[in-house]
Amino acid sequence: MDWITFGLFVAGVLAVATRLLPTTQAMATLGRVLPMLVFLGAVIVLAELAARAEFFDVVATRVTAFARGRNGALFALFLGVAAVTTAFLNLDTTAVLLTPVVLATAHRAGLPPLPLAMTTVWLANTASLLLPVSNLTNLLAADRIGLRPLAFAAQMALPQAAAVVAVGVCLWVFYWRHLPPRYEIPPPHRPRDRRLYWMAAGSVATFIAGILAGASVAIVSVATAAVLLGAFLVWGRSELRWKLLPWRLLVFVTGLFLVVETVRHHGLDSVMAMLIGIDPGPEGIVRAAAVGAGLANVLNNLPSYVAGEAAVPVANHEQLIGLLIGTNVGPLVVPWASLATLLWAQRCRAAGLRIDWRRYVLTSLVAVLLTLTASVGALVLVVVTG
């Protein structure tokens, strides 16, 4: 990731310096990306501090206990936890913070870690449709079509539900159904400092409430992260490290957008326009989703959405949503298709979990085909029935 991050950023800077990307176009791109970078940096700091306050550990162990030792119930509950975390705290948060928690929980419960790890990464991607904050691509789309969070959620509710059901079926068939029917219930997790735990719980709840109320995602994420940071300065200063700041991620996104804007400036827009078309109806929706998903697995979901967005006519809101579904649900097949998947793979490697990438690619391909069909089909149904 460090080499990829450095390479993208240098390539973006060189493109501007050599005028491959005009300065005015680069500044416009950075101006559009800046609020997203503020949000992304603040929400990851919020989530990292919440993790250090052991908020996620408490949630995970309570979910494990609530399932009463039944694997079927645990599957449904962790499916819900991963989906909710992704929807409200961003897919990268799920990948970075929920992954080590579920791996530790699997160890405490005597469960194989792979099914829980796969639930995390698949839901990190496929459950990122519901709200603007769930994915950086959603923030771009919501800004483009002018939808507030609740209106955006209403538009995406049925496609999101279809995606979660479809990916849940795939997870059960490929990874969960062979597990023993019962597991050992781990003891409750008690946080070391209950003051920090309750401050973290309150900050996360306030962040979610602010987002649903329609507050600026940048403002509410910075405010809640600042409150929790203040609590750590008083009660947990030893937990604070400079590495809490996700500078690599912010540099990666900045470089990625500059590189994509450069490629767009030199002909990618016309290629995408030819592939996606301008039909605002079901055919255009399906084409946009398929192109977005395919390109995401060749490049990455962020540049794929940005390139596709420029090719979709401004008035074609449903076609843009189709593209968004493709770039959110589609990037599962290869690890580089989504930043969340790369971060997840790093966390799995750090925890000693070996991923069989051949099996991962094959099962993910089936999951993408089924999930993309279900979610795009749900959107087309909404469009056709009015």
Side-chain angles (χ1 to χ4, degrees):
M1 277 298 301
D2 285 349
W3 282 107
I4 294 172
T5 298
F6 178 74
L8 277 173
F9 186 74
V10 169
V13 171
L14 287 176
V16 177
T18 58
R19 301 298 176 89
L20 282 173
L21 179 63
T23 304
T24 54
Q25 200 169 335
M27 295 304 294
T29 299
L30 293 176
R32 189 184 185 195
V33 171
L34 182 60
M36 292 190 304
L37 294 178
V38 171
F39 155 73
L40 184 61
V43 78
I44 290 183
V45 169
L46 171 66
E48 285 276 12
L49 291 174
R52 289 173 183 264
E54 301 172 82
F55 172 75
F56 294 107
D57 296 270
V58 171
V59 170
T61 52
R62 286 183 180 176
V63 167
T64 310
F66 190 72
R68 298 179 182 273
R70 297 168 296 172
N71 268 319
L74 181 67
F75 167 69
L77 288 169
F78 262 113
L79 198 72
V81 168
V84 169
T85 303
T86 300
F88 290 102
L89 290 176
N90 188 272
L91 75 166
D92 297 321
T93 295
T94 299
V96 170
L97 300 178
L98 197 58
T99 300
V101 171
V102 299
L103 292 177
T105 301
H107 176 72
R108 286 195 290 264
L111 290 168
L114 185 61
L116 278 79
M118 291 302 300
T119 301
T120 303
V121 70
W122 279 6
L123 267 296
N125 289 285
T126 59
S128 64
L129 293 173
L130 189 62
L131 292 168
V133 298
S134 308
N135 200 325
L136 291 182
T137 53
N138 295 8
L139 289 172
L140 293 171
D143 179 62
R144 164 83 175 261
I145 60 181
L147 285 181
R148 304 283 284 176
L150 290 180
F152 188 93
Q155 176 89 54
M156 302 301 289
L158 190 59
Q160 179 64 93
V164 170
V165 170
V167 83
V169 170
C170 294
L171 281 166
W172 180 260
V173 170
F174 290 132
Y175 293 102
W176 281 82
R177 67 188 177 98
H178 302 298
L179 296 181
R182 300 194 66 84
Y183 62 89
E184 180 182 349
I185 301 175
H189 184 87
R190 303 190 184 283
R192 295 186 301 273
D193 191 320
R194 296 188 65 83
R195 298 167 300 182
L196 289 175
Y197 167 76
W198 284 112
M199 285 297 297
S203 296
V204 171
T206 302
F207 171 79
I208 293 172
I211 294 302
L212 292 178
S216 163
V217 294
I219 291 174
V220 73
S221 58
V222 169
T224 50
V227 168
L228 189 52
L229 177 62
F232 269 87
L233 286 171
V234 176
W235 297 315
R237 187 183 293 266
S238 62
E239 293 288 335
L240 299 179
R241 301 286 188 277
W242 283 110
K243 66 180 182 180
L244 284 170
L245 297 174
W247 65 268
R248 288 181 181 84
L249 185 57
L250 302 181
V251 171
F252 174 89
V253 173
T254 303
L256 187 63
F257 271 87
L258 290 174
V259 169
V260 171
E261 197 64 26
T262 303
V263 177
R264 279 188 53 210
H265 184 67
H266 291 278
L268 181 60
D269 282 357
S270 58
V271 174
M272 293 299 290
M274 179 184 66
L275 293 174
I276 290 175
I278 59 172
D279 180 24
E283 180 186 342
I285 292 171
V286 172
R287 284 180 63 176
V291 171
L295 191 60
N297 283 289
V298 174
L299 300 174
N300 180 274
N301 65 329
L302 267 174
S304 300
Y305 173 80
V306 173
E309 181 192 66
V312 175
V314 175
N316 291 10
H317 289 183
E318 286 77 15
Q319 190 183 22
L320 187 70
I321 296 297
L323 173 70
L324 184 65
I325 291 174
T327 54
N328 282 19
V329 171
L332 276 184
V333 181
V334 293
W336 62 80
S338 164
L339 177 61
T341 305
L342 289 171
L343 295 170
W344 169 83
Q346 282 187 330
R347 292 295 168 125
C348 288
R349 186 169 61 250
L353 175 61
R354 178 182 174 274
I355 303 299
D356 181 347
W357 288 108
R358 181 175 181 275
R359 184 187 181 194
Y360 176 92
V361 168
L362 292 175
T363 57
S364 293
L365 178 59
V366 175
V368 164
L369 293 174
L370 182 59
T371 306
L372 193 61
T373 300
S375 52
V376 173
L379 177 62
V380 170
L381 179 64
V382 171
V383 171
V384 170
T385 59

